[in-house]
Amino acid sequence: MSPRSNGTGSGPISADAWHALDEEAVLARVDSPEAGLDPGEAAARLARHGENAFPEPEPPGPLIIFARQFMSPLIYILVVAAGVTALLEEWIDTGIIFAVVLLNAIIGLAQESGAERAVRSLSALLSHKAVAIRGGQPVHLESRLLVPGDRVLLESGVRVPADIRLLDANSLLIEEAILTGESTAAAKHPGIAPGDAPVGDQFNMARAGTIVRSGRASGVVVATGAATAVGQIAETMRREKTPATPLQQRLGRLAALIGIVVAVVSVLSFAIGIYQGNPGSEMLKVTVALAVSATPEGLPVAFTITLAIGVRRMANRKAIIRHLPAVETLGSTTVIGSDKTGTLTQNEMTVLEVWTADGSHRPGEGVAPQGSSLELTLIAGVLANEARLSRENDTWVPEGDPTETALLVAAETFGIDHVETRTAYQPVFDVPFEPELRYSGSVREFAGARLFFVKGAPERILEMCDTIQIDGHREPVERGTVQAATDEAAAGGLRVLAMAYGALGQGEEPSRDPTGLTYLGFEAMMDPAREGVLEAVRGCQQAGIRVVMITGDHASTALAIARQLGIAHEASAAVQGRDIEQMSDDELSERMKTATVCARMSPDHKLRVVQALQREGNVVAVTGDGVNDAPALRVADLGVAMGLSGTDVAREAADMVLADDNFVSIYAAVSQGRVTFDNIRNVTFFLLSTGAAEIVLILTALVLGWETPLLAAQLLWLNLVTNGVQDVALAFEPGDGDVLRRRPRARSEGILSRLLWERVLLTATIMGAGTLLLFHWELDSGQPLDYARSVALTGLVVFEVFHVGNSRSEYVSAFRKNVFSNRFLLVATFAAVSVHLTALYLPATQYILRIEPIGLESWMRIVAVGSSILVAIELHKLLRRGRARHPGAHPASSG
């Protein structure tokens, strides 16, 4: 049976069409008896349909994760280099290279395994219980055991366990934010919905994963597991191909460049040597030495450690990284597509204004005067209300529909105790909300009078009224004035609920269409922005990142929040789902160049928006917490899911999970992402510039017909033991203070900027020429070849000690960097020099490396020549500081 045909009747039916059938057809198709399924039939259906859970991919095992660490372009280069040394039976060199490859794989395995465990530990957030009618009796069971045809009972506070067609409902309100993005709970009731109704308008369906905010209902399960709306979105998500991250793309380009350089230099050197009459075996050894010097053996380890440090720093800021390359992607991000509900906003309705004929009032202004229109409006909001509030540690804990709890909190804010009010106004009976009525009401007795309080849609309440409460008395209502105030609030993106009341005779019941009531006022509310989000959005824009709101909510509400947060200008218009359906891909790409608000988005719409942004060369990060966000999270360059309120589907799709659900954390993560890339860039510059210096050294000596200044083992010693310690230490740099004042890097930009490639050539020239000078000086002075090579090797070690200071920042002078801000680098540099000094005097390393102790005069020359690189790069920074200070090509826009 296909995932979309979970019925048991005569033929498959799309999970989207259950809402369009009458109840008899639904019950016939799922074969659901009134008394519920008997245990035997339930067991048979469970065996036939499987458990009520969509297939979740097994987490990759340690062996798969370990093997994945070898799928890197730079690792391939290292393996080739190791193969060449093995063919030459240089077993020490081979062992060292393979040890580097193994260390890189172990670090990657530990990091990815830990992140995967952290994400999966969040899955306990989902509900796992349901109440079904089995054999005529209600039975509590695990929701995974539900099957099509089960009769299920729903009540306030539960999570809907499967896709359910409603058979009976009483004041049922369901929050569908995880599917639709709308924070306002939707009214649900039996009936037949139009066949083309979207999920948010299917009033007769309760969808798996949504939450019952108030009321009770019963219904029949029509779809479970992968056949539910949630399951179909999850399946769509899994089909989408995860794109390569910007760092992976840059790594590929860099590896290709290194490979070309290795090949060209090796062939060139071999050809030159043969032309000069050197023996082929000797030239093969020189070629190997050049290949080793050109291959940055320490780069994979340094990359992994730099990313792992970024992961750890982000984890301290409540961001869990699931894949190492995702750290840097945030630093490259040019667009953040953010869900509204629960991400930019609190997912809690809050009353911002109470309007009466006496004036407009805002919570926090003081206690409502007794007998005033304000007090009566708030009382009506308390009484025509099924929600409850409790107090824990000076915080209100709501229970029920967020809109109704907002009314209770507003009353408390104005000094009206909702519990005492409900006690003083004794309940007679309630009129539950129904979509056709568009209001709810409560009949109460107070001081011997029977009163009828109502709240509901503003235009509906206004129709019921012929008077309005003003200054403690009633006057004829001026409908134009009330409507104008209502329209003004609604235009601001606020949800408006109006209140009215009227007197009833003893024993009298209100009409379904009451008239002659007195209009009291209205309460206007909104799901407010999270604290700190405004500052975070501004910070992102200053960092050159465009923030785009992508939500399933209404355009007016989305625009109001977007304007508050500076995402949209006053003149901005929202791109709506129905608009996208009429656009070609090219038209959508053109529209998304300026659009910052996308409203009424379905999962397919969100996918198209993300892909349109990517077609324009953007690096797109998408945030979200609901099932409806999952496909976009997977396709985006970086998916950011919410850890607390997010669904398993969203977390599974994401590259990063925010443990505190706070959009503000993304701003901090962007900063750390940029610091991480800066450190990757610094490490790469350090390794490539020193490697280039070795190529200049050996190739120049070969062209001049000199002896080879360094042997392959000496080059490996230099690359892995001395600068291999310092390059790792560069990963711990805290970063420059201006990372969030730069524009994002363009996707086409490599790991090294043009400025740094220029600096690589300068460094290679100075270090290569300086080392050749030291080498030739010793030979001219009559020193033996091994001594001259020891001086050349030590000269490069000292060059690198000075050069690592240059490499701490692309822009900032080494003298302006605090030496103690990276203590690990200080220790690593001291360790590198100490290890090399020890090697000069230790017999074992003297034998392996063919080196010997160095005299004082040689040391003085080495330090003098080595310090020249610090002077040269400082001058280069000074001359070029104004160029490319803020790289990138994607300006931020808030409108």
Side-chain angles (χ1 to χ4, degrees):
M1 184 172 289
S2 74
R4 297 175 68 89
S5 57
N6 212 340
T8 62
S10 58
I13 181 169
S14 168
D16 295 333
W18 291 105
H19 60 281
L21 301 178
D22 59 41
E23 290 180 7
E24 290 76 12
V26 171
L27 295 174
R29 281 184 176 273
V30 297
D31 192 13
S32 176
E34 189 172 352
L37 303 177
D38 61 61
E41 176 63 18
R45 294 191 185 188
L46 184 64
R48 185 160 66 248
H49 298 294
E51 290 190 348
N52 177 31
F54 47 84
E56 185 172 328
E58 286 293 322
L63 288 178
I64 293 177
I65 297 177
F66 184 74
R68 216 156 53 194
Q69 308 310 311
F70 296 91
M71 298 176 184
S72 163
L74 289 178
I75 295 297
Y76 303 153
I77 294 176
L78 289 181
V79 171
V80 171
V84 173
T85 57
L87 287 174
L88 293 172
E89 297 185 354
E90 299 287 344
W91 303 117
I92 294 176
D93 296 353
T94 304
I96 291 175
I97 296 175
F98 273 126
V100 168
V101 173
L102 183 62
L103 176 62
N104 177 77
I106 291 172
I107 293 172
L109 169 64
Q111 176 55 45
E112 286 201 29
S113 298
E116 194 69 29
R117 285 194 299 272
V119 170
R120 291 187 179 276
S121 69
L122 296 168
S123 62
L125 295 168
L126 293 182
S127 172
H128 300 288
K129 295 293 183 182
V131 180
I133 304 299
R134 293 275 177 92
Q137 298 296 324
V139 177
H140 291 263
L141 74 168
E142 294 185 44
S143 61
R144 64 184 178 85
L145 301 177
L146 289 176
V147 295
D150 258 324
R151 302 281 182 120
V152 175
L153 303 180
L154 302 175
E155 62 180 6
S156 179
V158 305
R159 190 181 294 269
V160 179
D163 278 5
I164 295 170
R165 171 64 183 267
L166 298 175
L167 303 176
D168 182 64
N170 182 17
S171 303
L172 184 65
L173 294 174
I174 295 181
E175 181 191 305
E176 298 178 312
I178 68 164
L179 283 173
T180 66
E182 295 190 37
S183 57
T184 303
K188 298 288 185 175
H189 59 90
I192 302 176
D196 60 352
V199 171
D201 294 336
Q202 293 170 12
F203 57 80
N204 56 1
M205 295 294 298
R207 295 291 184 177
T210 58
I211 299 173
V212 179
R213 285 305 181 189
S214 67
R216 295 175 180 272
S218 65
V220 60
V221 173
V222 295
T224 59
T228 63
V230 171
Q232 291 173 26
I233 293 174
E235 184 62 28
T236 300
M237 174 199 77
R238 292 190 181 100
R239 288 197 301 265
E240 295 296 341
K241 184 178 179 181
T242 302
T245 68
L247 180 60
Q248 289 168 331
Q249 295 170 7
R250 291 179 177 118
L251 260 176
R253 292 195 296 267
L254 178 63
L257 178 62
I258 291 174
I260 292 172
V261 170
V262 169
V264 170
V265 170
S266 299
V267 171
L268 182 63
S269 63
F270 190 83
I272 291 174
I274 296 298
Y275 177 77
Q276 292 178 338
N278 294 316
S281 58
E282 185 67 27
M283 285 315 305
L284 192 58
K285 291 181 180 180
V286 172
T287 301
V288 169
L290 273 170
V292 168
S293 65
T295 304
E297 290 90 348
L299 198 55
V301 172
F303 264 44
T304 303
I305 292 177
T306 304
L307 290 170
I309 291 169
V311 167
R312 189 193 66 196
R313 289 174 175 174
M314 287 187 178
N316 292 337
R317 299 186 180 191
K318 306 297 183 183
I320 300 171
I321 299 296
R322 299 185 68 233
H323 306 107
L324 283 177
V327 180
E328 183 274 334
T329 307
L330 259 178
S332 303
T333 298
T334 59
V335 175
I336 296 178
S338 177
D339 183 40
K340 178 183 73 69
T341 305
T343 307
L344 296 171
T345 67
Q346 299 173 15
N347 198 16
E348 296 177 0
M349 298 299 288
T350 301
V351 173
L352 301 181
E353 177 188 8
V354 182
W355 183 91
T356 70
D358 296 333
S360 180
H361 313 272
R362 295 186 178 275
E365 292 181 354
V367 177
Q370 188 170 1
S372 65
S373 302
L374 173 61
E375 183 190 43
L376 286 174
T377 301
L378 295 166
I379 287 175
V382 168
L383 299 179
N385 192 323
E386 294 184 355
R388 292 185 292 275
L389 283 180
S390 58
R391 195 81 169 173
E392 292 183 9
N393 300 325
D394 296 327
T395 302
W396 290 114
V397 179
E399 181 180 343
D401 175 53
T403 299
E404 295 199 326
T405 57
L407 299 177
L408 300 184
V409 172
E412 294 282 351
T413 304
F414 280 102
I416 297 174
D417 188 301
H418 75 284
V419 176
E420 293 181 359
T421 299
R422 286 174 170 176
T423 301
Y425 288 80
Q426 286 296 308
V428 178
F429 65 86
D430 293 328
V431 178
F433 177 85
E434 295 180 18
E436 295 82 0
L437 295 179
R438 301 179 67 202
Y439 74 90
S440 61
S442 181
V443 177
R444 302 277 177 154
E445 288 189 351
F446 178 74
R450 175 174 282 202
L451 303 173
F452 181 41
F453 293 91
V454 296
K455 77 171 193 310
E459 60 276 16
R460 181 72 179 96
I461 299 300
L462 190 57
E463 290 173 0
M464 303 176 183
C465 302
D466 54 20
T467 60
I468 188 169
Q469 190 82 10
I470 301 178
D471 294 329
H473 63 279
R474 293 188 292 274
E475 295 184 3
V477 63
E478 294 184 5
R479 301 184 186 278
T481 301
V482 175
Q483 191 61 53
T486 303
D487 292 344
E488 182 179 356
L494 302 179
R495 186 183 183 204
V496 179
L497 285 179
M499 287 76 180
Y501 85 113
L504 299 175
Q506 290 301 322
E508 182 184 355
E509 294 185 2
S511 165
R512 280 179 60 87
D513 295 309
T515 57
L517 301 185
T518 299
Y519 191 91
L520 296 173
F522 65 72
E523 297 188 50
M525 63 193 74
M526 177 180 280
D527 180 11
R530 282 181 175 270
E531 183 178 355
V533 169
L534 174 61
E535 292 76 14
V537 169
R538 286 177 179 169
C540 287
Q541 292 169 345
Q542 289 171 358
I545 300 170
R546 184 156 60 102
V547 180
V548 178
M549 179 188 291
I550 308 175
T551 178
D553 216 338
H554 292 280
S556 59
T557 304
L559 279 170
I561 289 289
R563 287 165 181 156
Q564 286 182 18
L565 297 176
I567 295 174
H569 295 308
E570 287 300 320
S572 300
V575 177
Q576 300 195 53
R578 62 173 182 266
D579 302 328
I580 289 178
E581 292 174 358
Q582 307 301 319
M583 294 182 186
S584 67
D585 287 345
D586 290 341
E587 290 171 337
L588 181 57
S589 296
E590 185 65 27
R591 183 71 180 86
M592 290 309 303
K593 288 181 179 180
T594 56
T596 56
V597 177
C598 300
R600 304 302 283 170
M601 292 285 109
S602 70
D604 287 342
H605 297 150
K606 292 188 179 187
L607 272 176
R608 289 195 63 198
V609 166
V610 171
Q611 291 164 344
L613 290 167
Q614 290 173 324
R615 281 194 297 272
E616 293 302 311
N618 290 293
V619 177
V620 183
V622 172
T623 74
D625 58 357
V627 175
N628 61 319
D629 299 311
L633 289 173
R634 173 59 63 90
V635 171
D637 297 286
L638 185 89
V640 184
M642 304 297 120
L644 293 178
S645 63
T647 61
D648 275 355
V649 175
R651 289 194 294 270
E652 183 68 34
D655 302 291
M656 184 173 85
V657 179
L658 297 182
D660 61 355
D661 284 16
N662 198 338
F663 180 86
V664 178
S665 299
I666 297 175
Y667 181 54
V670 168
S671 172
Q672 185 54 54
R674 292 190 176 188
V675 169
T676 298
F677 184 81
D678 280 356
N679 290 346
I680 288 174
R681 174 169 275 183
N682 295 339
V683 168
T684 305
F685 165 69
F686 177 68
L687 288 176
L688 292 188
S689 58
T690 54
E694 295 163 14
I695 293 175
V696 169
L697 169 67
I698 294 176
L699 202 57
T700 303
L702 180 64
V703 171
L704 295 175
W706 295 0
E707 293 285 348
T708 304
L710 294 176
L711 302 174
Q714 293 170 338
L715 287 167
L716 276 173
W717 172 262
L718 184 69
N719 290 359
L720 297 179
V721 180
T722 55
N723 68 5
V725 178
Q726 294 173 95
D727 63 4
V728 169
L730 285 172
F732 290 84
E733 280 295 314
D736 299 335
D738 66 344
V739 290
L740 289 176
R741 293 196 296 273
R742 307 180 200 161
R743 294 196 180 280
R745 295 175 303 280
R747 188 189 289 268
S748 59
E749 184 178 343
I751 291 178
L752 294 187
S753 64
R754 290 184 179 180
L755 183 66
L756 285 181
W757 279 117
E758 183 180 298
R759 199 170 292 166
V760 164
L761 295 177
L762 177 63
T763 301
T765 301
I766 293 174
M767 291 177 63
T771 306
L772 274 173
L773 176 65
L774 291 171
F775 178 69
H776 198 261
W777 182 288
E778 300 300 339
L779 290 178
D780 283 352
S781 301
Q783 296 290 354
L785 179 60
D786 281 352
Y787 183 90
R789 284 173 171 163
S790 299
V791 169
L793 178 61
T794 304
L796 278 176
V797 169
V798 173
F799 262 124
E800 289 172 3
V801 167
F802 287 107
H803 188 48
V804 77
N806 295 328
S807 303
R808 295 182 68 188
S809 173
E810 183 177 355
Y811 308 108
V812 180
S813 165
F815 297 104
R816 293 178 58 192
K817 300 285 288 187
N818 186 341
V819 175
F820 298 101
S821 65
N822 187 351
R823 289 184 171 86
F824 190 80
L825 180 61
L826 199 63
V827 172
T829 302
F830 177 78
V833 174
S834 299
V835 167
H836 183 70
L837 286 175
T838 302
L840 287 173
Y841 296 93
L842 196 66
T845 50
Q846 286 178 346
Y847 171 76
I848 294 172
L849 300 177
R850 282 180 269 180
I851 55 177
E852 56 187 71
I854 296 172
L856 179 61
E857 288 187 8
S858 296
W859 271 110
M860 293 175 64
R861 284 191 293 273
I862 287 170
V863 172
V865 172
S867 63
S868 64
I869 192 64
L870 183 62
V871 176
I873 300 303
E874 282 297 309
L875 288 173
H876 185 262
K877 285 183 180 181
L878 182 65
L879 293 173
R880 311 295 276 167
R881 188 162 291 151
R883 178 187 174 191
R885 178 65 179 178
H886 302 290
H890 294 280
S893 173
S894 60

